[in-house]
Amino acid sequence: MGLFGAIAAELAPRPAMAESALAPFQLAQVDHETFEPEDTRWQPGIRWQKRYVVLGSDRFPVFSLEFAANNRGVALRPIWSDPYRMEGTSPLVEMGQRWQAFAAINAGFFNRNNRLPLGALRRDGRWFSGPILNRGAIAWNDEGRFKIGRLSLQETITTATNQRLFISHLNSGYVQAGMARYTPDWGVSYRPLTNNEIIIYVEGGQVQEHYAGGNAGEVEFPIPDNGYLLVIRAGSVSREQLPLGMRLTLATTTTPGDFASYPHIIGAGPLLLDGGRVVLNAEAEKFSAAFAQQAASRTLIGTTANGNVILAVVHNRVDGRGPSLPELAGLAQRLGMTHALNLDGGSSSSFYLGGQLVDRPPAGAARVHNAIGVYLP
C-alpha cells in the first residue's frame, strides 16, 4: 500500500545549518483596517478564534484552534511535503489537501536550499527525521497525553568486536562531522550532503557494502528495505572499523526517556513556557540572540491547565511588526497556555483551515517542509 496509502487508510474515517533562519519578513500580512474578530465553535468542543491579543501597549492578531486534548473526535498528525521521502517543500494549502487534513499549521524548521528537515519528525513510532541540538519538541499520543520539552536522541552501534560507535544524527538534513544514519523512512535513496562521504550499506544487521560518496548531491545510494545506511562525514570513523560481513547491534534512546513512548513528535524550538513560567533560552537550543529578538510572524503550539491544546499563528502588531520570541512567550501566557513551543516562523507562518489559508494571502506564504495536521470526524 505504501506509506501514504497506509496513512490515508488510517485517517479515512475522519473527514548546513545550525538553525533555519526565518523566511524573509513581510510587514503587511494582516490588513488591520479590515480585520474582523471571529469566534466559531465546532462540536464537539472545537473552537476557532480570530482576535486581537493585547501585550503591553501592542495588539497582535492571533488565529487559533483550541480543543480538549482527550477529545477523541480530533486527531493530530505530523504531515510533510512529499509522503514518500523527506526532501521537498510545498505550500501549506497543497500539503493540507494532499494529506486530507481539516486544518494545519506549519511546524518544524528546514533547510530552504536543499529542502530537508532540521529537527524531529516522528509519526506512528517511526523517526522520519531525528531531533537536533537538544531543541524543543512536542510529543503526543491518541489518548490525549502531550509532552513539551527539550529532546535529544542517542544512537550507538556495537560491532562484533565490541567497539561502540556513536551516531550523530538520524534521518537529518543537519550536517556536521560524525556518522549519521538513514533508514527507509528517509526515502528509497540517499544523496550525499557533503563531499567525500563514506557510505556503509547495512542490511539484516550486517555490513554488506562500502561506497565512496563522491561530490555532494551527484549520486543517489539506495537505502535497503531491511536495513539502513551509515554515512561517515569528515573522516570521523574509518571504514576499517566496519568491514564487510561485520555484524552490528543498534541501540536507540531518547533524553528524556519518556519521549520514546510517544508515537508522534514534532521538533522546533525554542521552548517558551513550562508550568506557566517563561523558560525561553534560545542559546541553550543553539539559536542566536538575533533570532530570538527578531520581530516576525510566529507559529506556536501549547497546552493549557484545563487540558486543552491550542494551535496558533501570530502576525504583525497594529502599526508594527510581529512578535519577538520573548513577546511570543508573553502572548502564549495570555492565550492561557502553561506549556508552549515555538515553531517555524516568518513567511512560513500559516494557518490552513477548511481548504484554504485563513490568516494571510497565499502569495505571501512561503513553501514549507512539514506541518501539524488536524483531523475531525
Side-chain angles (χ1 to χ4, degrees):
M1 179 184 297
L3 170 65
F4 186 47
I7 293 172
E10 171 198 350
L11 296 171
R14 295 174 280 198
M17 299 159 287
E19 68 185 57
S20 172
L22 291 178
F25 175 77
Q26 299 187 14
L27 182 60
Q29 293 113 353
V30 174
D31 184 347
H32 295 290
E33 292 185 1
T34 60
F35 185 88
E36 295 184 5
E38 298 178 17
D39 191 344
T40 304
R41 297 173 188 265
W42 287 288
Q43 62 89 27
I46 303 166
R47 185 179 189 182
W48 159 255
Q49 286 185 283
K50 171 185 170 184
R51 65 198 188 280
Y52 282 113
V53 175
V54 176
L55 185 68
S57 60
D58 292 307
R59 291 191 303 150
F60 292 89
V62 177
F63 302 77
S64 65
L65 190 69
E66 182 173 358
F67 54 89
N70 61 1
N71 187 337
R72 295 302 181 93
V74 183
L76 295 185
R77 291 291 186 273
I79 60 178
W80 51 93
S81 179
D82 186 336
Y84 302 102
R85 59 178 185 166
M86 281 294 99
E87 182 180 357
T89 58
S90 60
L92 184 62
V93 169
E94 292 182 11
M95 196 184 304
Q97 294 171 346
R98 182 178 302 124
W99 289 82
Q100 303 172 23
F102 169 73
I105 56 171
N106 67 292
F109 297 107
F110 58 98
N111 183 294
R112 293 188 178 277
N113 295 322
N114 60 23
R115 303 179 302 153
L116 295 176
L118 296 173
L121 184 58
R122 177 175 165 99
R123 177 169 174 147
D124 297 321
R126 297 161 59 182
W127 286 109
F128 292 88
S129 177
I132 66 172
L133 301 170
N134 196 36
R135 287 183 170 174
I138 181 167
W140 69 93
N141 62 21
D142 290 333
E143 286 68 55
R145 290 179 54 232
F146 282 77
K147 178 179 178 67
I148 297 176
R150 296 190 181 103
L151 168 66
S152 62
L153 181 74
Q154 300 82 35
E155 289 199 320
T156 58
I157 291 286
T158 303
T159 70
T161 58
N162 288 322
Q163 272 191 305
R164 292 186 71 210
L165 302 175
F166 293 92
I167 296 171
S168 62
H169 293 91
L170 170 64
N171 289 343
S172 182
Y174 179 68
V175 175
Q176 67 174 28
M179 185 168 64
R181 189 168 75 96
Y182 292 86
T183 75
D185 290 326
W186 181 256
V188 298
S189 63
Y190 166 79
R191 287 189 297 173
L193 300 180
T194 60
N195 294 336
N196 303 317
E197 295 177 348
I198 298 172
I199 313 295
I200 309 295
Y201 188 98
V202 181
E203 188 171 24
Q206 189 172 31
V207 176
Q208 303 290 344
E209 296 287 350
H210 293 173
Y211 300 106
N215 293 329
E218 287 190 355
V219 179
E220 293 195 11
F221 295 87
I223 300 175
D225 290 337
N226 182 31
Y228 50 85
L229 300 182
L230 294 175
V231 176
I232 300 170
R233 299 179 177 128
S236 53
V237 176
S238 167
R239 71 174 69 196
E240 284 72 29
Q241 295 175 270
L242 296 164
L244 298 184
M246 175 71 77
R247 297 207 64 85
L248 306 177
T249 302
L250 175 70
T252 301
T253 60
T254 63
T255 303
D258 58 344
F259 261 106
S261 67
Y262 290 87
H264 313 298
I265 299 176
I266 284 282
L271 291 182
L272 299 172
L273 303 179
D274 182 18
R277 299 179 299 105
V278 175
V279 292
L280 174 63
N281 188 338
E283 291 184 2
E285 299 183 34
K286 303 299 188 293
F287 292 101
S288 68
F291 174 86
Q293 294 300 327
Q294 182 179 1
S297 293
R298 304 282 183 177
T299 305
L300 70 158
I301 186 169
T303 56
T304 69
N306 61 353
N308 286 355
V309 179
I310 301 176
L311 292 72
V313 172
V314 185
H315 285 302
N316 53 300
R317 74 195 78 197
V318 177
D319 298 324
R321 297 189 171 188
S324 65
L325 286 180
E327 288 175 324
L328 188 66
L331 290 168
Q333 291 176 319
R334 292 296 180 93
L335 291 171
M337 297 180 184
T338 54
H339 297 80
L341 175 70
N342 176 65
L343 302 173
D344 193 11
S347 63
S348 292
S349 287
S350 307
F351 211 124
Y352 167 84
L353 183 68
Q356 62 185 338
L357 288 188
V358 292
D359 66 311
R360 66 188 307 163
R367 300 167 70 91
V368 298
H369 179 275
N370 59 80
I372 299 174
V374 182
Y375 294 84
L376 303 183

